[in-house]
Amino acid sequence: MVLALALTLMMPAASVLAYDPIEGPCSASSDASSVCHEKSVDPNETLRKVSSLIAWIAGVAAVIIIIISGFMYVTSGGDPQKTASARSALIGAIVGLVVIVAAESILLFVLGKVG
C-alpha cells in the first residue's frame, strides 16, 4: 500500500484534454500541439481489425474443440456412441475452421476492392 502511494506521488502529472462532442477535440484550446489534431478513422481498417480479432478467437476455440474431441475419441474405449460424438465434434470444428478462413478471406478481398 505504501509502495503504491509512493509510486503514485512520484509519477509525472499527465495533461488531460477535454473532448467536445459538437466541436471536436481541443476546440476551445489555442494549443497547436500534435495532441489536439483530429485523426481520421478509416472504417475499412476498423472492420479489418475487428474481423481479425473475431477470426482469431474463433480459430483458437476451434483448435481447443479439436483437441478435446481427440481426447474424447482416444478415451471412448470403443463405445460407438462416444466415438460418434467425438467424430462429430471433430468434423464440426474442422468445418468451422474452414468457414472462418473462408469468411476472413472473402472479407479481406472485398475490403481490398472497396478501399
Side-chain angles (χ1 to χ4, degrees), residues 18 20 23-31:
D20 183 5
E23 297 293 325
C26 304
S27 61
S29 174
S30 62
D31 186 354

Side-chain angles (χ1 to χ4, degrees), residues 18-69:
Y19 179 78
D20 183 5
I22 297 172
E23 297 293 325
C26 304
S27 61
S29 174
S30 62
D31 186 354
S33 70
S34 63
V35 175
C36 291
H37 295 288
E38 292 185 45
K39 290 200 271 186
S40 63
V41 177
D42 183 21
N44 288 344
E45 188 61 31
T46 303
L47 189 57
R48 277 188 187 107
K49 287 180 182 178
V50 169
S51 69
S52 293
L53 177 66
I54 291 172
W56 187 82
I57 291 171
V60 168
V63 168
I64 290 172
I65 291 172
I66 289 171
I67 292 170
I68 290 172
S69 65

Side-chain angles (χ1 to χ4, degrees), residues 60-83:
V60 168
V63 168
I64 290 172
I65 291 172
I66 289 171
I67 292 170
I68 290 172
S69 65
F71 183 74
M72 287 170 43
Y73 190 78
V74 168
T75 59
S76 67
D79 184 14
Q81 187 176 6
K82 289 181 181 179
T83 304

Side-chain angles (χ1 to χ4, degrees), residues 79-104:
D79 184 14
Q81 187 176 6
K82 289 181 181 179
T83 304
S85 174
R87 184 178 295 131
S88 67
L90 180 64
I91 291 171
I94 291 172
V95 168
L97 274 176
V98 170
V99 169
I100 291 166
V101 169
E104 186 71 13

